[in-house]
Amino acid sequence: MRSLALPALLAAFLLSSPAPAFAGFHPSYDRNLPQDTTPCYDLSVYDMTVPNPDDYLGEPIGHWPAWWREIDAYLRVLADKSDRVMLEPHGATHEGRELFHLIISTPENLSRLEEYRASMAKVADPEQITTAEMDRLTADMPAFCWLAYSIHGDEISGSDAATRLAWHLAAANDSATQHLLQNLIILIEPSENPDGRERYLSMLQTYRGNVPNYDSRAMQHGGVWPYGRGNHYWFDVNRDWILLTQPETIGRVKSIVKYNPVLVVDGHEMGSNATFLFSPPREPINYNTPSNVLKWYQIFGRDQATALDRRGWPYYTGEWNEQWYIGYGSAWPTFLGAVGILYEQAGVDGSFVRQRDDYLLTYHEAMNHQFTSSLANLATAANNRRELLRDYYLTRKSIVEQGRSSGLTYLFAPDEDEIKMARFINSLTNQGIKVARATQPFTVSSAVDGWRQTQTNKSFPAGTYIVSTAQPQGALAKAVLEFDLHLKKEFLEEERRELEKHGETRMYETSAWSVPLLYDIDAYFSTGRVQAAAEPVAEVIPATGQVYNPDAPYGFVIDMVGEKTYLAMNRLFDEKLTIRAAEHPFVLESRKFRRGALVVRRRGNPDDLTAIMRQVSQEVGIDIYGVSGGYSEEGSKLGAETFRLLQEPRIALVAGSVMDFTSAGALWFLIDKELEVPHSLLSADRLAWADLSPYNVLVIPDAWGNAFENVMGKAGQGSLSKWVSDGGTLILIGSATTWAADTAVGLSGVRMMQQVLGKLDEFESAMKREISAEAPTVDTMALWHPEKVSAEEAKKEGEKAGKGPDETADAWQRRFHPGGVIMRAELDLDDYLTFGLSQSLPVLVWARDAMLAKSPVQTVARLSPDQNKLRLSGLLWPEARARWAGTAYATRERKGQGQIISFLCEPSFRAYTYGSRQMLVNALLYGPGFTAGFEPYEQH
């Protein structure tokens, strides 16, 4: 194996020589190709008694990606042996790997770590100290800096760079390193996603050959589905910073809030033919970003560029990297007042790759880019320590003052779904956002709800959660909670030009993400004075439950309260009980119960039913009500067929190969982790000939491209159709819905708009009939005197404008499709999929193909037909507004004895879109009992 410790003269020669043309070389490998193995640093400055990673890793650092288990073991030794290094755990992954960060500084600084942390907490809360006191406090106080790497498990060089950096800071004794250690307390998170890293490295190891390979197209430089980007449940945890649904994020965010770093680095990789990108980003930059961050972007960027220029390494900034979405690791810290810096290094995935210009990029060089950049950023922080600390304080002071001046306060009424509400509020408090809870009812003179309706003298009950933006985390709170964000006009002009001229978007991420809207919480904001008796909230813990009237002779009722009901249902299924669900609300023994309430009769269930109910109530924390009889005061009696007999779901989730692993992962997380329902993962490659008879629910997630036709084939489509007709519940999401709706497939009665342009009038008429059926009117003149209105009506019919768009116009409108827009959906509250939901629902739409449906397909959730009410948040061009108004978001259709349930796009997007998610959970758990319907009456 080639040594990495090459003489400096050779390294300088390789850097200064022009890249040779390698057109005549073998496409896979040639041992004579030169490699840049420039040493990371002058080895003469190191104390070699400090444990060296090369002595602990399987191969010298930078030669081949180090396994996380090796890095983990080495860094523990380093922390144990070096008086400059501490190791602090902050959580564990889904697979049980401990998450931690190193704390590195001088021994003197580390001995005063808690003192400095407490002082920094005062700097971070400007209401505790004055500017003069802050200046005195920070005169000699080191600044905290957080450096994190490889949040995507298949972006691997960052963790090796972190390991090399940790050894450097622990062992180097030169003046430059001492300067860093004296002025900074450096926190290094060596891997933000160790589960994904280990999965990906096992793939690289599987295809690693005896002969080295530099062909980036080869399997030796890639993985197989689901690759390594995501964590155990395939989540892209670099989108989770504001959502906090994953353990990797929760521990990291809580630690950053604990230490209040002024600098946060987030090390990534990108395609192998690129160079090296770093901050600042290009527009759109979220307008809640504090101005000090924009200033420091330039200072850090110039210093970093200078360090890379010294080595002759190419780089760039901005270009594709915009920062509108706030949930990235380089964006989230900026709303705290910290400088967030992104690295994107060209990926190597092995020892080396040959780039398009015939340059041989080594893994060592890729690692060195991140190592060198990290030292450059730390040097900038150390050289500007006092100014950074002062800016951090003044920025947070300004945030408080802006919040106080605007009066902006967010209000969240209590929700029956305690688990959902607890997850939402805890996601805020874990980010350091101050939340209060009203201890008494109160009134606000004016408040705007999530539907953008202003309500005067709005009353709020005790238990309402209150978030004022007049707090140090006020900018973050506003960015997370804001209902509607508006992009700057300058960027909109640029985006419009790009769309019209090239058919491409400049947006990198979703344009909307309002967390309270997509949690489907009764949310408001007010800029008036909010006077309420309230107490601070550190953590929300759902209430415990109990069984009322446990000896009741008839049975028990569990109300539909969301997550707790689902968990209770699963426990009842585990006990093999006979369960029924109420199609309609009812009142029994003076208590109101909602649609979807569960009824468990004593008849037909075990003798120890009371003991089972007590155990379920205790484990889930849900109230269960014993009832003495089935004679409801309102609604159906408990023996009616409208109390549907449920079937235990036997779920199969399609995964693998062509599937979008983020879609499949979100569904897997929901089914496995949150609901804890038994299930099987079925390979997409084998779905066409799989035996589906053991399952009564099949979920097909979104996929990449037009993949289903090749995967399924005619035979597979036929067997799937038969399985549904025999009683199965088929749930389709995103492109699976598009595939089934394609007229060439014909599995579903839903249709893609572009395939029925000549029949749009039919679908529009069907939609109008559905809407009018909700509030029918009787035209007595037309009923009793049709001869007086027929001519006038005929005239109106003849005056209808146009036939709808032709193919050319539709293709143009599709160019402006919604790319992550929150829209208003109107729900059919007679359908079981809407159990626990209200008439209107915010849904996130990220799709190209608008879907249409008419009877016998039932449109359970329809995007608002009113164009003025359709968009709630995000960028929706007029062309898209006209095209998508009134189209289908979720449908249900009977097919033989089974049913097909289709969602336009991911209903459990990133595990926080709780409203649309609830329709999906209803499909999973209630679906098998609500398949083909029933015939309760004899024919007469």
Side-chain angles (χ1 to χ4, degrees), residues 8 128 247 293 384 430 547 616:
Q128 288 193 35
V293 174
N384 297 275
N430 284 337
V547 178
V616 170

Side-chain angles (χ1 to χ4, degrees), residues 238-529:
N238 196 41
R239 305 298 188 270
D240 194 47
W241 288 74
I242 61 170
L243 309 176
L244 277 66
T245 68
Q246 302 302 300
E248 294 89 348
T249 314
I250 295 171
R252 177 185 314 114
V253 163
K254 291 174 73 173
S255 292
I256 291 176
V257 169
K258 174 182 175 181
Y259 287 106
N260 292 291
V262 296
L263 168 68
V264 177
V265 167
D266 194 25
H268 289 252
E269 286 185 349
M270 53 184 169
S272 61
N273 283 301
T275 58
F276 186 73
L277 172 142
F278 54 91
S279 299
R282 65 159 172 82
E283 290 288 351
I285 298 173
N286 190 282
Y287 53 71
N288 292 297
T289 304
S291 58
N292 78 305
V293 174
L294 305 179
K295 177 188 79 173
W296 285 105
Y297 275 153
Q298 301 302 322
I299 298 171
F300 276 88
R302 290 193 190 98
D303 288 351
Q304 186 171 348
T306 299
L308 297 174
D309 284 339
R310 290 194 193 104
R311 304 291 187 102
W313 290 331
Y315 56 82
Y316 62 99
T317 65
E319 302 294 333
W320 55 266
N321 172 40
E322 49 99 328
Q323 203 156 281
W324 178 247
Y325 178 60
I326 65 173
Y328 304 129
S330 56
W332 178 85
T334 65
F335 302 100
L336 282 60
V339 183
I341 295 180
L342 171 70
Y343 299 166
E344 289 282 356
Q345 165 60 45
V348 173
D349 299 323
S351 293
F352 38 66
V353 293
R354 177 182 174 184
Q355 296 183 307
R356 287 195 191 102
D357 61 358
D358 288 333
Y359 183 77
L360 196 69
L361 177 64
T362 66
Y363 188 69
H364 176 271
E365 182 183 343
M367 179 268 290
N368 203 352
H369 290 172
Q370 300 210 46
F371 170 82
T372 300
S373 292
S374 299
L375 285 182
N377 291 159
L378 290 174
T380 304
N383 294 339
N384 297 275
R385 177 187 61 82
R386 291 198 67 177
E387 188 179 354
L388 275 168
L389 288 168
R390 183 180 177 86
D391 258 15
Y392 188 83
Y393 168 84
L394 292 176
T395 294
R396 293 171 72 84
K397 183 177 182 180
S398 174
I399 290 170
V400 175
E401 292 170 351
Q402 289 174 22
R404 190 173 290 125
S405 174
S406 69
L408 180 62
T409 301
Y410 291 91
L411 305 156
F412 310 108
D415 198 290
E416 290 290 341
D417 192 334
E418 293 182 6
I419 293 179
K420 178 181 77 171
M421 200 69 182
R423 288 174 181 168
F424 169 65
I425 296 298
N426 291 339
S427 76
L428 303 181
T429 59
N430 284 337
Q431 294 178 70
I433 296 172
K434 295 178 182 178
V435 181
R437 180 168 44 212
T439 56
Q440 298 176 8
F442 64 98
T443 300
V444 173
S445 60
S446 178
V448 180
D449 62 24
W451 312 108
R452 297 187 296 209
Q453 299 299 308
T454 300
Q455 301 188 29
T456 56
N457 296 320
K458 171 65 180 175
S459 296
F460 291 91
T464 295
Y465 294 97
I466 305 169
V467 178
S468 169
T469 58
Q471 59 168 296
Q473 305 290 75
L476 177 63
K478 182 173 180 289
V480 170
L481 302 174
E482 199 167 16
F483 295 165
D484 188 18
L485 302 90
H486 291 183
L487 291 149
K488 295 178 182 177
K489 185 174 185 293
E490 294 80 5
F491 174 77
L492 290 175
E493 291 171 347
E494 181 183 350
E495 170 75 355
R496 185 79 194 194
R497 179 182 182 276
E498 195 73 11
L499 285 168
E500 293 199 15
K501 188 171 182 179
H502 303 294
E504 300 291 339
T505 178
R506 295 278 286 168
M507 297 292 294
Y508 185 76
E509 248 291 339
T510 181
S511 67
W513 55 84
S514 177
V515 178
L517 287 189
L518 291 174
Y519 258 85
D520 189 32
I521 284 170
D522 191 15
Y524 305 80
F525 75 82
S526 176
T527 54
R529 189 175 181 185

Side-chain angles (χ1 to χ4, degrees), residues 15 124 133 146 149 300 318 371 398 470-471 659:
L15 284 172
E133 291 171 329
W146 184 282
Y149 303 87
F300 276 88
F371 170 82
S398 174
Q471 59 168 296
M659 310 311 298

Side-chain angles (χ1 to χ4, degrees), residues 754 757 805-812:
Q754 62 265 32
L757 296 177
D806 60 18
E807 291 184 14
T808 302
D810 183 69
W812 176 255

